Amino acid sequence: MLVHKDMVENFKLQFPGFVELDSSSIQHINVNLFEVKRNKKAIVRGLHRHQNDTPEEKHMMYKEHMDMREKHCLAYILHTSGTTGAPKIVSVPHKCIVPNIYHLRSIFAISPDDLLFLASPLTFDPSVIELFLALSSGACLLVVPNPIKMMPHKLCDILFHQHRVTVLQATPTFLRRFGSRSIRSSVLSKGTSLRVLALGGEPFPSVSVLRSWREPGNRTRLINLYGITEVSSWATYYEITEQMISHQTGEESCVPLGFPLQGTIVEVQNEKSYKIDEGEGQVLLGGRERICFLDNEFILPYGTMRKTGDWVTLKDGEMYFLGRKDNQIKRHGKRLNIEYVQQSAESLAHVEACTALWFQEKQLVMFVIPNGPLEKKFLWKELQSHLLSYAVPDDLVLVETLPLTKHGKMDTSKLNDMYCEYINEKKSICTVLGAEDLWNRLQRLWKTILGLPEDCPAVPEDSVFLLSGGDSLKAIQFHQEVDILVGRPVTGLVEVILNNSFLDIYKHISKSVQLSEEHRNTDISQSTADNLRNIKERDSRIKHLGKRKDQAIMELEGNRNLFISLSRGSRLLGNVLLYSDTMAQQHKLFTGLSQELLNIFEIHCMNSDSKRTKKAQYRLCGQSSPISGVASTQTQGLLYGFLCLQERWTSDTGKCVDASPLLVKSAIRDSLVIYIGSHSHRMQALDLPTGQVIWERVLGDRIESSAGVSKCGRFILVGCYDGSLYALSNHNGETHWIFTTGNAVKSSPATDFLSGLVYIGSHDGHIYALDIEAKQCIWKSHCGGGAVFSSPCVSTEPYHLYVATLEGLIMAFHPPTGRTIWRYACGKPVFASPQCSHDHVFVGCVDENFYCLSHAGEKIWHLSTSGPIFSSPCLSNLSGCSIFGSHDGYIYCCSSEGLLLWKHKTSSKVYATPFVFPNPCIEGRELVAAASTDGDLYILDVQSGSVITERKLPGQIFSSPLVWESSLIVGCRNDFVYCLELFCKNAIK
C-alpha cells in the first residue's frame, strides 16, 4: 500500500499489521510503501476500521494523542543542561521511562546481589535508570557525597576496593577522571568486582582505548549506551564483544550505537529528510509511547519522532556515531569533526585523557592530561603523524584535570575560561623581551613548529619557512605563538612567514614590538649585525652587465617613447593611446615599426574587456592571421596531443624568484625586454629572445613586487622590502628616484595612463600617488588600518582606483585626489589584486570566496571555493570569464554572472595568477597558463578547462606566468627565471 508522507505516522497507529519498506525510490513523489505482514483476518479488521472491537479496544485504537494533563501520566520533570543544544524543560511520562528500566535490567542481568553506584546527579535523567534498576530488582545502591565524587583516587578506592561495586553507568569523561592506570588496575582489572560498565552521554571510547584500559583476564561487560533526554533516557545499546577487543587491526573500527531498546524506534534521515539505510544522516528517536513533552507542549501524537542533532553513518547494517552537527567546524577549507581530533589524540600512549575546544571559533585547542612526564614538542610530533594536516590543533595545553559539569560531561564554559587564563599567563611571562631574547626564542619556536631537534644547529638567517618543511597551517600556528610570545598581535606576520627568510621574520616582529635599532645591532649575533649593515651598504650598488647606451635613441625617445607592456593576469598597457596625432601621422613618424605595434596604436581604453583592447592583444601576439587550415575541430584535437613546453633559456638570480615578469616592447628600439626581481635583492633586465642579462641592479632588500613601467616608458618601477619604490632607467638600470614609505612594499605599481600618476601600496597601510618624472608624491591615503599587499587597479570608466587590504577592505579612490569613494568589507584579509572589467570589479579573498562587485561598491555575487584565495583573477578577452586559482588546489573559471564554468584540479595549491592568451593555432580560441606551488605549469583550454600540456619545474612557483607569442616566462623558487617555448612536436603543414 502507498501512503502519503504526511499520513505515515497515523497509518502506522491505525494499521499495525503493515510493515514499512524501503521507499527511497519513490520518496520524490511524497509516498511511503507498506507491506502486509499479518494474517488476512487482522488486515480485514484494520481495513474495516475495527468494527468488531470492544469499546475499550476502540478507545485505545482511535486515541491518536498522549495528553500530559491526564492523571498519572507524568513520572518526573527535569531540565536539560544545554550541553548539546538549547536548555529545555522535559516532562517524562511513565510509559516512556518504564520500558527503559525493564529492558536495561534484563540486559544488565541485575539481581539482588548487585551493588550499583549512583554516578549521575538527580538532575540528569540516567540517575532515574540507576535508582530504579536497584529498586525494582532488590539490589543495593551506593550513594556518596558530591565532594567525594570530585576526588578521583578516593572515589576509585571507595567504589572498587571498599564497597566493590558491580554495575557502573557513567559518562566516558567521568571514567577518564580515574586515569588510565587506575582504570587498568582497579576498574577493569583481572580481579575487579565490576560486572557491567555502561558508558553513555558522550562519544564512546575507541576500541584501542578500551584495549589499553583492560587488564588481561578482565571479564567486565562493556556496553555503549546512546540516547537523548528528549526521549528519556536511553535509546540504543551495544555490547562490545571479546573478539572486537582482542582482534587488533591496523585500522581500529568505531563501536556501533547498536540496537533499539524496548519500544524505541530509530530512524536515520539525510539532509533532505528522506529515510536512508546506507550513508550519512541525522538520527531520529521515538516510538509509539516513547514520548516526552518539551517546554510548553502538553499533547502529542503517538509515535512522535524527535531529531537528535546527532549524525551517524549507516554501513553494513550498523550505525556509527559521527558527532553532533554543531560539533562540525570548517577549518582551513575542510569540514572537521572535533570528536575525530579528540579520539585520535586519546589513542596515543602518552595521553591519559584529553578534550578539544573550538576557542572563539578561531582556534582548535587541545587540553591533555599527560600519562606521566611529557614534553609538548613530542606530543606535537605524535599528533602531526596521527592527524590529517587540517586537524592538527593550534595549541596544546597540558593540565592535571579536566572540568566537568554536574552531569559528568565536559564543561566547555570552564575550558574557555581556562584557556583565557592560560593565554594571559603566557603573555605576562613573555611581554618584555630584549632583542637577543627574541632572537633566541624565535629560533626555538621555529624548531618546535617544524619538528626539529633542539640540539640542531642554529636556524640560518636566510632559511625560508616553506622550504624548511613548513606549510600554511604551521605558519598560522607560528603566528599565534609569536603573538603570545610578544604579548600583542603582530599584523601581517603570516604572509612574512610564508614568503620571507628567518631574518625578515625577526625584523618584522622587532619592528612590531618597537625594539630599537641600537639594541638589535648590539644584542643579536655578530653575523646578523653584519648582515643588517651590508643591506644598507648595498643600496647604491649598480652592476652593468650589458651597456646599450645610444644617445641618438635617447634623444629621439624623449617624452615620446612609445611602448606597450604586458604583465601578470594578461594586463596589456601602453602609452601610445595618449597622443592626439592621427594614425597616419603616427605611422609616418614611426616608419619601420612592426605591424603589430602599429595595431596597438588603436587602443583607446585600458579596461581589459574593451573591444579594442581585445583586438590589440590578439594582434600583438601575432594573431592578425591564424595559421591556414587549423581552425577545424580535427586539427584542434591533433594540436592538443602534440603541444609541448620546452626550455629556451634560464637566468640565475641567486635566490628565490617570487616576483612576476614584466614585458616591455619598445616602438623605438624594437626590443623585447623582461624585467623581474628576486629575493637576492637583484633586479634583472633580460633580453627575451636570448635570455642575455642587459643590466642588473642590487637593491636595498628582497624584491617580491612585480615591476611596472612609467607613462613615459623610460622608467621601470619596482617595490622593495626596504620600504621603497625604485624608479630605474629602462635601458641601464640607473636610479632616477627612490621614494620611501613607512614599511615594506610588496604591492606592484599601477600606472594611470590618463594622468601619468603611479599608484603603489605599502605595508604601512597607505596608498601613494606618485609623479615619477617630477619625483613628487601627489597624495597618500590611509586604507582603513590594513596593510596593502596586492596591486592597485585603475579603471578609466568610471575613473576609479581600486585597492584591497589585509584588513579585508576593498576600496575605491578618486585617482587625481585620493578621496575615498566607497569601501566594501570582506571580513578577512585580501592578498589577491582586484581586476576590473567594463561593468564589474573582481577579487578573491582568504575567506575562500571570489567576489564580484559593481563599480558602485555593491556585491553582485560571490563564488565559494574550498580554500583561501591568494591568486588574482585574469579575464578572458573573448568570453569575459574570470579565471583564478585557490589554495584548495583548483583553477576556477566562472562567467561574468557568477556561474562556475569549469574547474581543474592541480597537484598542489595555486598561488600564482593565471594568464590568458590567444591560441597560437586556432582562431577564436584562448589558452590559459597557470602554475601550482609545487612547480607544475599547466596550459589549459579556456573554453573547456581541458589540459593542453603541462611541465614541472625543479622548484616551487609563486611567480605568475606571462606569455608572449610562443614564449612563457615565469620565476621559480630554485633561484632561476625560466623562458619556455610553446611548440608543436609535429608542426602542421
Side-chain angles (χ1 to χ4, degrees), residues 177-337:
R177 294 181 69 245
F178 292 135
S180 57
R181 292 182 182 177
S182 294
I183 294 174
R184 187 177 177 87
S185 63
S186 299
V187 184
L188 297 177
S189 65
K190 180 179 180 180
T192 183
S193 60
L194 193 65
R195 286 194 312 104
V196 176
L197 174 62
L199 300 177
E202 293 176 324
F204 197 78
S206 64
V207 174
S208 60
V209 171
L210 294 176
R211 187 180 297 116
S212 68
W213 283 350
R214 289 188 77 192
E215 189 177 64
N218 174 263
R219 292 292 178 264
T220 302
R221 296 172 61 195
L222 302 175
I223 297 175
N224 180 16
L225 295 176
Y226 168 73
I228 59 173
T229 302
E230 291 86 341
V231 186
S232 192
S233 168
W234 301 116
T236 66
Y237 76 98
Y238 185 88
E239 183 164 355
I240 289 79
T241 64
E242 191 66 34
Q243 183 180 7
M244 286 180 67
I245 295 178
S246 59
H247 184 62
Q248 188 168 359
T249 61
E251 289 188 14
E252 295 291 356
S253 59
C254 298
V255 176
L257 294 185
F259 312 101
L261 290 167
Q262 181 180 329
T264 305
I265 296 174
V266 180
E267 288 185 4
V268 179
Q269 295 182 355
N270 61 18
E271 290 184 342
K272 296 181 179 179
S273 298
Y274 291 149
K275 183 179 177 181
I276 60 172
D277 297 316
E278 288 287 329
E280 294 183 7
Q282 181 179 191
V283 179
L284 281 77
L285 298 178
R288 176 175 170 78
E289 294 181 328
R290 294 277 281 128
I291 301 170
C292 295
F293 300 91
L294 307 183
D295 296 327
N296 296 323
E297 296 174 347
F298 60 86
I299 187 168
L300 289 171
Y302 280 106
T304 295
M305 301 293 287
R306 300 286 190 187
K307 292 184 176 181
T308 63
D310 295 325
W311 284 69
V312 298
T313 182
L314 294 170
K315 184 178 179 182
D316 300 329
E318 295 287 4
M319 186 166 56
Y320 298 94
F321 184 73
L322 294 177
R324 292 194 58 78
K325 193 169 185 178
D326 48 20
N327 269 359
Q328 293 182 352
I329 62 175
K330 194 170 185 183
R331 185 167 183 257
H332 305 309
K334 305 289 185 180
R335 191 154 294 281
L336 174 66
N337 197 298

Side-chain angles (χ1 to χ4, degrees), residues 585-604:
Q585 289 173 325
Q586 291 175 347
H587 188 280
K588 183 177 180 181
L589 179 63
F590 299 103
T591 303
L593 291 182
S594 58
Q595 181 60 43
E596 64 264 28
L597 269 177
L598 289 175
N599 290 329
I600 296 304
F601 296 166
E602 299 178 12
I603 301 174
H604 289 285

